[in-house]
Amino acid sequence: MNQTAIGGYIARKRKEQNLTQEQLAQVTGINQANISRLENGTANPSLRTLKRLAEGMGMELKLEFVPHVQPQH
């Protein structure tokens, strides 16, 4: 998953909970401008930041290593 996809996912989950970026910033302690940069894919979040965002939205962060799917010819 690239940082644009991660940012889009964060934005979708935030909006599903009817949270503004400012509200999420208040509960996570992450600056609203940084949340904006994460959501639009211009910043790369650390694992710590992802965990804080997940917790701020009442979620858990799940990290998996999965094999690449090889295209079949």
Side-chain angles (χ1 to χ4, degrees), residues 44-63:
N44 193 11
S46 67
L47 286 175
R48 182 174 184 259
T49 297
L50 289 173
K51 184 176 181 184
R52 288 169 64 190
L53 289 167
E55 289 174 354
M57 293 185 283
M59 304 172 84
E60 291 183 29
L61 178 63
K62 181 179 179 181
L63 179 67

Side-chain angles (χ1 to χ4, degrees), residues 1-10 37-45:
M1 182 179 279
N2 64 36
Q3 65 191 53
T4 303
I6 291 170
Y9 185 80
I10 293 167
R37 284 191 284 277
L38 293 171
E39 288 186 359
N40 67 31
T42 59
N44 193 11

